[in-house]
Amino acid sequence: MGRGGSGGGGGGGYEAVDDPDGYFGEVVAAHYDDTSADMFAAEAVDPVVDLIAGLADGPGGDARALEFGVGTGRIALPLARRGVPVHGIDMSRAMVERMRAKPGGEDIGVTIGDFATSRVDGPGFAVAYLVFNTINNLTTQDAQVDCFRNAAAHLVPGGRFVIEVGVPDLRRLPPGQNAVPVRVGATRLGFDTYDVATQGMRSHHMMVVDGRPVYWSLPFRYVWPAELDLMARLAGMRLRDRWAGWKGEPFTNDSTTHVSVWEKV
C-alpha cells in the first residue's frame, strides 16, 4: 500500500501518522489478507494477472513489471509465477514482510518508500500498475499527479500504466448525508465518509478478532476518470483503454469501477 499511518485496535482507534509504515502498519497488515480474502480468490486474481502479463510482454520485448503498492503480494506473486519479473514499491515494511513469508516472496524485489516519488534503478519497465483503489491512498491531487509522473519515468517508450479504481459513489449520498455503508456483517462493519468539497474520503472498519473489537480508519482521496486522464497527459501519457473490469467489460454510466490503461508517448 501507499502513504499514511496505521489504524488502531482494542476498543477504539488511533492514527499513527508518524508510523514509518504509514496507514498500513502492523495493526492493518496483521489482518489484511483475511479482511480482503475475496480479493485473493482465483476469480479475482487471474484476470488481473492475465492482463498485466500480456502488457508486460510488450515494448522492446522487456517483460519487467513494476507494482506501486505491492503490499502482501496479492498480484506480484502470481505474476512472477507466470514468468514476469516484478519489482514493487511500498512504504509498509509490515505488509512486505508478509509477502516475504509466502512462497516466492523473497524473489520479489522491493523498494521501501512512497510510490509517488520513489525511484527504482535499472532499465525501464514495460508496464507499471496500481490496483485495488490504491491510487486513492495518495490523499492530495499533487501526490496523485506525482504518481503518474513517477510511473512515466519508470516506463520504456510505449510502456503502459494500469490503474484499477472505483468510480466515486456520490450518487448514493442524499442531501445532508456524508456516510455510505460498504460492509455489514456479524463480525465486521465498514462505511465510508465523504467530504465532497475536497474529494476527501475516509474508510472506517470495525471487526471482531478473537472476541475483541478492532477499529481502524484510513484516509483517501477519490478521483474521477477524466481527472486521471489529465494527470496522464501531464506525465506524457495517453489513454489507450478503459473497461469496467479486468475482463474487458464495457465502461458505462453505471460502472462502479474502471480499469484504465495509459501509454507512454
Side-chain angles (χ1 to χ4, degrees):
M1 296 296 131
R3 296 179 170 181
S6 66
Y14 70 93
E15 291 184 3
V17 295
D18 295 325
D19 189 329
D21 276 2
Y23 282 90
F24 292 86
E26 182 59 33
V27 171
V28 173
H31 307 292
Y32 183 81
D33 285 12
D34 292 334
T35 57
S36 304
D38 54 337
M39 295 302 295
F40 284 80
E43 56 265 29
V45 171
D46 290 350
V48 184
V49 173
D50 289 343
L51 179 64
I52 294 174
L55 293 174
D57 190 18
D62 187 348
R64 298 178 75 216
L66 177 64
E67 179 168 0
F68 287 176
V70 68
T72 64
R74 183 179 73 94
I75 301 302
L77 290 172
L79 186 60
R81 288 194 291 269
R82 288 277 295 269
V84 178
V86 183
H87 192 97
I89 301 177
D90 205 298
M91 181 176 287
S92 174
R93 291 170 174 82
M95 297 284 279
V96 172
E97 285 175 2
R98 279 158 176 80
M99 180 180 69
R100 294 286 190 227
K102 298 176 182 178
E106 291 291 344
D107 298 327
I108 305 295
V110 176
T111 298
I112 298 297
D114 184 341
F115 60 69
T117 56
S118 295
R119 294 298 301 273
V120 178
D121 294 332
F125 292 85
V127 61
Y129 62 97
L130 198 165
V131 300
F132 200 15
N133 298 317
T134 305
I135 185 67
N136 293 341
N137 290 345
L138 302 174
T139 55
T140 69
Q141 187 181 68
D142 284 345
Q144 291 171 344
V145 170
D146 287 344
C147 178
F148 272 80
R149 288 176 171 151
N150 199 30
H154 282 95
L155 292 172
V156 299
R160 310 295 172 79
F161 184 35
V162 185
I163 285 182
E164 173 197 27
V165 65
V167 177
D169 205 9
L170 302 188
R171 287 188 293 184
R172 296 180 64 191
L173 286 177
Q177 181 175 316
N178 72 339
V180 172
V182 294
R183 185 186 297 262
V184 179
T187 60
R188 184 176 177 191
L189 298 173
F191 62 95
D192 293 333
T193 54
Y194 290 83
D195 183 340
V196 177
T198 65
Q199 290 184 215
M201 61 179 291
R202 182 170 286 271
S203 184
H204 306 264
H205 302 272
M206 288 158 284
M207 62 185 300
V208 178
V209 178
D210 297 329
R212 299 178 62 243
V214 176
Y215 164 76
W216 70 95
S217 176
L218 309 173
F220 299 98
R221 180 185 186 270
Y222 66 81
V223 61
W224 300 96
E227 190 179 5
L228 292 171
D229 291 342
L230 181 56
M231 293 179 186
R233 289 185 62 187
L234 292 173
M237 295 186 285
R238 61 186 177 188
L239 182 67
R240 289 299 305 266
D241 294 292
R242 172 164 291 135
W243 306 291
W246 291 100
K247 298 179 181 179
E249 302 91 332
F251 181 74
T252 71
N253 290 336
D254 296 320
S255 298
T256 58
T257 63
H258 65 96
V259 174
S260 296
V261 182
W262 297 272
E263 180 183 61
K264 182 176 179 177
V265 179

